[in-house]
Amino acid sequence: MPKYQNYTLKNFRNIPYVEDKLSEDEKFAIEVVGNVLPFKANNYVVEELIDWDNYANDPIFILTFPQKDMLKPEHFAHVAHLLKSGVSRADLKTEVNKIRLQLNPHPAGQMKDNVPEVDGVKLTGVQHKYRETMLFFPSQGQTCHAYCTFCFRWPQFVGMNELKFAMRETELLVKYIKANPHITDILFTGGDPLIMKTKILASYVDALLEADLPNLKTIRIGTKALGYWPQRFTSDTDADDLLRLFERVNKAGKHLAFMSHFNHGRELETEEVQKAIGRILNTGTAIRTQSPIMKNINDSAEAWAYMWRKQVDLGCVPYYMFLARDTGAQDYFAIELDRAWQIFQQSYQQVSGVCRTVRGPSMSAGPGKVQVLGITEIHGEKVFALQFLQGRNPDWVCRPFFAKYDPKAIWLDDLYPAFGESKFFFEDEYPIYRGAENTIKVVEEEIV
């Protein structure tokens, strides 16, 4: 069985394909961008997923290997100059961190608005933005089998601890869930929680199962492991232990939701991933799939229709089409809301009803998850029709609202209210619900 081998800036030049096919300028560009945004690949990605005969246009190569245009020209030039001039690692890090702070490292108020407290202790490994769902970042899971170049969680991986979410204490985690009975779902995220050994993941999961939490109905695991290292479920030394953990969750009466990130259909085509999917499903676990829509990766209706059909064929449930978040290399990946919706509509038209469980295109913005329902004309004004799929205030959900049509808009912040309105319906309330403490307080008052 293949042994996991990772590739980083330190050793990527040793990959035979890189040595044989990439020019020196291309290799240097990987080093420049990889000093700002995180870079890690592995032998499965390199050997099974990338078409090296067409690497420059290959979606998996672009998905995992940094590209020059992922940085603004002035940022690229500055880092390139620093590397060529041989500055010290400390000086390089200082300058690179200045660039990172310009890339909106924590979009949608993640660091300041979503982190709650219990008994006066800030839960630095928890985000609680929506009433029913909390996110948990186990400290040992803050890396991945390989890094996506678009990842909105890139600050977790670049060594800037002040930008990092992580927490070990299960006691505080359990106490927080008990104190907030409206929480029904916990999402293990990262990084990738399935980078952890099974015994470490089990220490967290078993603590939840043993804590007698009747309000906790669903345990979600957000992971890219199926796409980047399916051996985690087939041939790793503790793969069978992991599957037994999944079975234990389901037998305990909790719903285990496996939230899998697939960004391109090629990730679903290998024998190894198909075997892994089958083994997970056999534990009684549901696999839901999600991805952002991204320029240079999957920005066509054909790509999405194929991916949804293939997922359903394998027993997975298409769940979300996201828009590229306003962080990191967004300028490289983002497409206009207009085009994203057109791709969604055209791909939706190509698939049967069993594939149409997917929702999107959706922006995970500060106020909540905002779906682009379509483009229409009302009283002679061309508008975007929008709705919240999730909101900081649950009452915002499923309330249609309208924005002036802007063919260049790529994010909620680019939009303005239609029909002469001065603000969107949620804007007056939004400040009340910003900050996890305020959110929980208001929600609890509503429940009472």
Side-chain angles (χ1 to χ4, degrees):
M1 296 296 177
K3 183 179 178 181
Y4 176 82
Q5 167 68 55
N6 67 25
Y7 297 109
T8 66
L9 290 183
K10 294 180 180 179
N11 66 346
F12 82 96
R13 287 174 176 263
N14 297 335
I15 300 172
Y17 300 107
V18 170
E19 176 63 26
D20 294 343
K21 295 183 178 294
L22 272 66
S23 69
E24 183 56 37
D25 285 347
E26 289 171 321
K27 296 172 191 174
F28 182 65
I30 290 172
E31 292 178 342
V32 172
V33 180
N35 267 284
V36 179
L37 299 171
F39 164 54
K40 182 166 72 172
N42 66 49
N43 49 317
Y44 174 79
V45 172
V46 166
E47 295 168 10
E48 300 292 334
L49 300 183
I50 295 174
D51 177 5
W52 288 97
D53 290 331
N54 186 34
Y55 70 89
N57 300 305
D58 183 81
I60 308 299
F61 179 76
I62 296 169
L63 182 63
T64 50
F65 281 76
Q67 308 293 306
K68 181 177 181 179
D69 292 339
M70 290 177 184
L71 291 183
K72 293 180 179 179
E74 61 270 26
H75 290 162
F76 185 94
H78 183 49
V79 178
H81 172 73
L82 293 171
L83 290 176
K84 289 178 178 179
S85 61
V87 299
S88 69
R89 294 300 302 174
D91 288 343
L92 176 64
K93 183 176 180 179
T94 297
E95 292 301 305
V96 163
N97 284 349
K98 292 177 183 177
I99 294 173
R100 288 169 175 160
L101 291 174
Q102 297 177 50
L103 302 180
N104 191 22
H106 277 301
Q110 291 181 88
M111 184 64 80
K112 64 182 185 299
D113 291 347
N114 303 342
V115 181
E117 293 184 2
V118 61
D119 292 344
V121 178
K122 190 173 284 292
L123 303 183
T124 56
V126 169
Q127 289 186 39
H128 191 186
K129 181 177 180 180
Y130 306 127
R131 183 174 62 188
E132 289 80 13
T133 305
M134 62 174 288
L135 278 60
F136 176 50
F137 297 73
S139 59
Q140 303 94 329
Q142 301 315 304
T143 184
C144 299
H145 291 98
Y147 293 147
C148 298
T149 45
F150 69 83
C151 184
F152 75 94
R153 293 245 168 85
W154 62 268
Q156 297 290 96
F157 319 127
V158 295
M160 296 178 73
N161 288 335
E162 66 273 21
L163 300 181
K164 190 171 184 177
F165 291 102
M167 195 174 91
R168 292 178 184 268
E169 298 83 355
T170 53
E171 183 179 346
L172 288 176
L173 183 66
V174 168
K175 193 168 189 177
Y176 184 72
I177 296 173
K178 284 184 175 180
N180 294 280
H182 45 274
I183 294 174
T184 61
D185 293 39
I186 182 171
L187 170 61
F188 282 75
T189 185
D192 192 326
L194 293 185
I195 199 77
M196 296 188 289
K197 290 294 185 182
T198 300
K199 64 180 180 180
I200 298 174
L201 176 62
S203 70
Y204 291 111
V205 173
D206 286 337
L208 295 173
L209 297 181
E210 295 166 5
D212 188 22
L213 300 167
N215 54 306
L216 185 63
K217 305 298 184 183
T218 300
I219 296 175
R220 307 185 198 180
I221 298 176
T223 180
K224 181 71 181 178
L226 273 174
Y228 280 169
W229 188 251
Q231 291 87 340
R232 182 70 186 89
F233 312 95
T234 59
S235 59
D236 276 7
T237 55
D238 61 346
D240 289 347
D241 293 336
L242 180 62
L243 297 175
R244 282 192 286 267
L245 174 62
F246 291 175
E247 290 176 343
R248 194 155 68 245
V249 174
N250 290 309
K251 288 178 180 178
K254 306 297 183 185
H255 175 64
L256 181 59
F258 191 103
M259 319 303 290
S260 188
H261 297 257
F262 289 112
N263 308 120
H264 192 272
R266 189 175 302 160
E267 297 171 280
L268 296 152
E269 293 174 349
T270 70
E271 182 179 344
E272 198 70 27
V273 73
Q274 293 175 14
K275 179 181 177 182
I277 288 172
R279 297 196 84 201
I280 294 168
L281 294 175
N282 283 340
T283 69
T285 299
I287 300 176
R288 292 176 173 83
T289 62
Q290 55 194 19
S291 171
I293 181 170
M294 296 168 291
K295 186 169 53 180
N296 303 305
I297 301 290
N298 57 21
D299 56 334
S300 73
E302 291 71 27
W304 280 89
Y306 173 77
M307 189 158 57
W308 293 337
R309 284 194 298 264
K310 190 69 174 177
Q311 289 163 0
V312 168
D313 289 347
L314 294 171
C316 304
V317 181
Y319 185 56
Y320 264 123
M321 173 198 278
F322 289 113
L323 290 153
R325 282 204 181 187
D326 53 337
T327 183
Q330 185 197 31
D331 290 345
Y332 182 87
F333 289 110
I335 64 174
E336 298 81 4
L337 301 183
D338 182 334
R339 184 160 174 252
W341 175 73
Q342 289 185 37
I343 291 173
F344 182 85
Q345 182 196 38
Q346 292 164 10
S347 55
Y348 215 64
Q349 292 171 352
Q350 296 181 39
V351 298
S352 73
V354 293
C355 297
R356 294 183 181 181
T357 52
V358 68
R359 297 176 292 179
S362 171
M363 298 172 272
S364 291
K369 286 188 174 74
V370 178
Q371 180 185 22
V372 181
L373 289 170
I375 300 165
T376 188
E377 189 171 300
I378 300 176
H379 298 308
E381 182 175 347
K382 191 174 184 181
V383 296
F384 286 112
L386 309 163
Q387 73 167 356
F388 280 97
L389 295 172
Q390 279 278 25
R392 288 190 184 272
N393 178 355
D395 188 51
W396 299 345
V397 174
C398 288
R399 289 174 59 177
F401 63 104
F402 301 91
K404 293 179 180 178
Y405 174 77
D406 180 351
K408 297 181 180 179
I410 62 173
W411 198 248
L412 183 64
D413 293 348
D414 299 327
L415 298 178
Y416 294 90
F419 315 131
E421 297 291 332
S422 61
K423 61 184 68 174
F424 292 116
F425 78 91
F426 57 87
E427 290 192 69
D428 285 336
E429 283 190 317
Y430 181 32
I432 300 173
Y433 288 89
R434 295 189 69 175
E437 292 178 43
N438 290 333
T439 301
I440 302 309
K441 179 180 178 182
V442 172
V443 168
E444 287 181 339
E445 289 173 354
E446 288 177 348
I447 290 174
V448 173

CSV table of all heavy atoms in Angstrom, one decimal, residues 2 29 42 96 114 148 179 188 307 351 355 386 400 402:
chain,number,residue,atom,x,y,z
A,2,PRO,N,0.5,2.3,-0.7
A,2,PRO,CA,1.3,3.5,-0.8
A,2,PRO,C,1.4,4.2,0.6
A,2,PRO,O,0.4,4.3,1.3
A,2,PRO,CB,0.6,4.4,-1.8
A,2,PRO,CG,-0.8,3.9,-1.8
A,2,PRO,CD,-0.8,2.4,-1.5
A,29,ALA,N,8.1,30.8,-9.1
A,29,ALA,CA,6.8,31.4,-8.8
A,29,ALA,C,6.1,30.6,-7.7
A,29,ALA,O,5.5,31.2,-6.9
A,29,ALA,CB,6.0,31.4,-10.1
A,42,ASN,N,0.7,16.0,-2.0
A,42,ASN,CA,1.2,14.7,-1.5
A,42,ASN,C,1.3,13.8,-2.7
A,42,ASN,O,0.9,14.1,-3.9
A,42,ASN,CB,0.3,14.1,-0.4
A,42,ASN,CG,-1.1,13.8,-0.9
A,42,ASN,OD1,-1.3,13.2,-1.9
A,42,ASN,ND2,-2.1,14.3,-0.1
A,96,VAL,N,6.5,39.2,4.7
A,96,VAL,CA,5.4,38.4,4.2
A,96,VAL,C,4.1,38.5,5.0
A,96,VAL,O,3.0,38.6,4.5
A,96,VAL,CB,5.8,36.9,4.1
A,96,VAL,CG1,4.6,36.0,4.0
A,96,VAL,CG2,6.8,36.7,3.0
A,114,ASN,N,-17.4,35.6,16.1
A,114,ASN,CA,-18.0,34.2,16.2
A,114,ASN,C,-17.4,33.4,17.3
A,114,ASN,O,-17.8,32.3,17.5
A,114,ASN,CB,-17.7,33.4,14.9
A,114,ASN,CG,-18.3,34.1,13.7
A,114,ASN,OD1,-19.1,35.0,13.8
A,114,ASN,ND2,-17.8,33.7,12.5
A,148,CYS,N,-5.6,23.4,-0.4
A,148,CYS,CA,-6.2,24.0,-1.6
A,148,CYS,C,-5.7,25.4,-1.7
A,148,CYS,O,-5.7,26.2,-0.7
A,148,CYS,CB,-7.7,24.0,-1.4
A,148,CYS,SG,-8.4,22.3,-1.3
A,179,ALA,N,-24.8,24.4,28.0
A,179,ALA,CA,-25.3,25.7,28.4
A,179,ALA,C,-26.2,26.4,27.3
A,179,ALA,O,-26.8,27.4,27.5
A,179,ALA,CB,-24.2,26.6,28.8
A,188,PHE,N,-16.9,19.4,13.2
A,188,PHE,CA,-15.5,19.3,13.4
A,188,PHE,C,-14.8,19.8,12.1
A,188,PHE,O,-15.1,19.3,11.0
A,188,PHE,CB,-15.0,17.8,13.7
A,188,PHE,CG,-15.3,17.3,15.1
A,188,PHE,CD1,-16.6,17.0,15.5
A,188,PHE,CD2,-14.2,17.2,15.9
A,188,PHE,CE1,-16.8,16.5,16.8
A,188,PHE,CE2,-14.4,16.7,17.2
A,188,PHE,CZ,-15.7,16.4,17.7
A,307,MET,N,-19.9,16.4,-11.9
A,307,MET,CA,-19.5,16.2,-10.5
A,307,MET,C,-20.7,15.7,-9.7
A,307,MET,O,-20.6,14.8,-8.9
A,307,MET,CB,-18.9,17.4,-9.9
A,307,MET,CG,-18.2,17.2,-8.6
A,307,MET,SD,-17.0,18.5,-8.2
A,307,MET,CE,-17.9,20.0,-8.3
A,351,VAL,N,-29.2,17.8,-14.9
A,351,VAL,CA,-29.2,16.6,-14.0
A,351,VAL,C,-30.6,16.3,-13.5
A,351,VAL,O,-31.5,17.1,-13.6
A,351,VAL,CB,-28.3,16.9,-12.7
A,351,VAL,CG1,-26.9,17.1,-13.1
A,351,VAL,CG2,-28.8,18.1,-11.9
A,355,CYS,N,-30.1,14.7,-8.0
A,355,CYS,CA,-28.9,15.6,-7.9
A,355,CYS,C,-29.3,17.0,-7.4
A,355,CYS,O,-28.4,17.8,-7.0
A,355,CYS,CB,-28.2,15.7,-9.3
A,355,CYS,SG,-27.6,14.2,-10.0
A,386,LEU,N,-32.2,37.4,-3.9
A,386,LEU,CA,-31.4,36.8,-3.0
A,386,LEU,C,-32.2,36.3,-1.8
A,386,LEU,O,-33.3,36.7,-1.6
A,386,LEU,CB,-30.3,37.8,-2.4
A,386,LEU,CG,-29.5,38.6,-3.5
A,386,LEU,CD1,-28.9,39.8,-2.8
A,386,LEU,CD2,-28.5,37.7,-4.1
A,400,PRO,N,-36.9,36.6,0.9
A,400,PRO,CA,-36.3,37.1,-0.3
A,400,PRO,C,-36.0,38.6,-0.2
A,400,PRO,O,-36.8,39.4,0.4
A,400,PRO,CB,-37.4,36.9,-1.4
A,400,PRO,CG,-38.3,35.9,-0.8
A,400,PRO,CD,-38.3,36.1,0.7
A,402,PHE,N,-33.8,42.0,-2.6
A,402,PHE,CA,-33.3,42.3,-3.9
A,402,PHE,C,-32.2,43.3,-3.9
A,402,PHE,O,-32.2,44.2,-3.1
A,402,PHE,CB,-34.5,42.8,-4.7
A,402,PHE,CG,-35.6,41.9,-4.8
A,402,PHE,CD1,-36.7,41.9,-3.9
A,402,PHE,CD2,-35.7,40.9,-5.8
A,402,PHE,CE1,-37.7,41.0,-4.0
A,402,PHE,CE2,-36.7,40.0,-5.9
A,402,PHE,CZ,-37.7,40.0,-5.0
